[in-house]
Amino acid sequence: MKILVINGPNINMLGIREKKIYGSLSYPKLIELIEEKSRKLNIRVECFQNNIEGEIINKIQSTYGEYDGIIINPAAYTHYSIAILDAIKSVSIPTIEVHLSNIHAREDFRHRSVTACACIGQISGFSSFGYLMALDYFKEAGIINE
Ligand code: DQA
């Protein structure tokens, strides 16, 4: 049983970009936390980050028949990528949307997610914990059995 964690544009700049909003945790450290949690839960996880919309779509499509769940932070694409929305819908794999910051407490243009409607739900504002909560959900909800 496998989970794919997808991070979109600029998430690789964590720890460097807008620290007041995103904190000082680096991207490699975030991945370490996700891998550590997955080991504890006995979940196989793959982490993928890309700055290019088409690459993210290719990766989502590659999950079909291969993965049991997706955790995705589409970053800025959250707010306008109908193509990523359609990719999530195409594979119909249980997906959770995560945001490090609380997008609803920020600029108006960040309040709207075009991708969340294809997801089980959205976790927003809990920094790195959001990804770990999503892993807990997959495990506890029995979506991932081993
Ligand atoms: C983000 C929020 C988005 O609005 C922003 O474009 C990001 C990161 C978050 O994790 O808080 O790049 O998805």
Side-chain angles (χ1 to χ4, degrees):
M1 296 283 177
K2 272 204 291 189
I3 295 286
L4 177 66
V5 178
I6 301 177
N7 278 295
N10 302 305
I11 302 297
N12 57 317
M13 295 299 280
L14 277 186
I16 299 165
R17 75 184 285 216
E18 301 179 273
K19 284 189 190 179
K20 281 200 178 121
I21 295 170
Y22 298 111
S24 53
L25 188 84
S26 67
Y27 177 70
K29 186 67 194 164
L30 170 67
I31 298 309
E32 231 177 270
L33 293 175
I34 292 169
E35 288 176 348
E36 187 186 301
K37 176 78 175 179
S38 301
R39 270 195 303 277
K40 277 189 199 149
L41 296 178
N42 208 17
I43 289 174
R44 280 195 287 154
V45 76
E46 181 193 337
C47 297
F48 172 84
Q49 189 279 328
N50 207 284
N51 294 323
I52 301 165
E53 186 179 28
E55 296 292 341
I56 294 168
I57 292 162
N58 286 342
K59 194 68 185 176
I60 293 169
Q61 289 183 2
S62 79
T63 61
Y64 184 71
E66 297 290 329
Y67 288 85
D68 306 290
I70 299 172
I71 297 169
I72 186 166
N73 181 349
Y77 289 134
T78 305
H79 313 300
Y80 64 92
S81 178
I82 307 299
I84 290 179
L85 166 68
D86 287 346
I88 297 169
K89 283 185 170 173
S90 299
V91 293
S92 51
I93 290 171
T95 299
I96 298 177
E97 181 170 303
V98 169
H99 297 285
L100 295 147
S101 64
N102 179 357
I103 58 172
H104 305 287
R106 298 181 62 192
E107 302 97 319
D108 285 352
F109 63 85
R110 293 188 204 274
H111 295 179
R112 178 161 175 256
S113 166
V114 301
T115 46
C117 66
C119 299
I120 299 170
Q122 183 194 68
I123 302 171
S124 180
F126 296 92
S127 66
S128 57
F129 293 98
Y131 298 84
L132 312 184
M133 290 176 192
L135 286 167
D136 268 332
Y137 173 81
F138 277 131
K139 186 74 183 187
E140 295 290 324
I143 291 169
I144 303 302
N145 301 309
E146 57 183 69

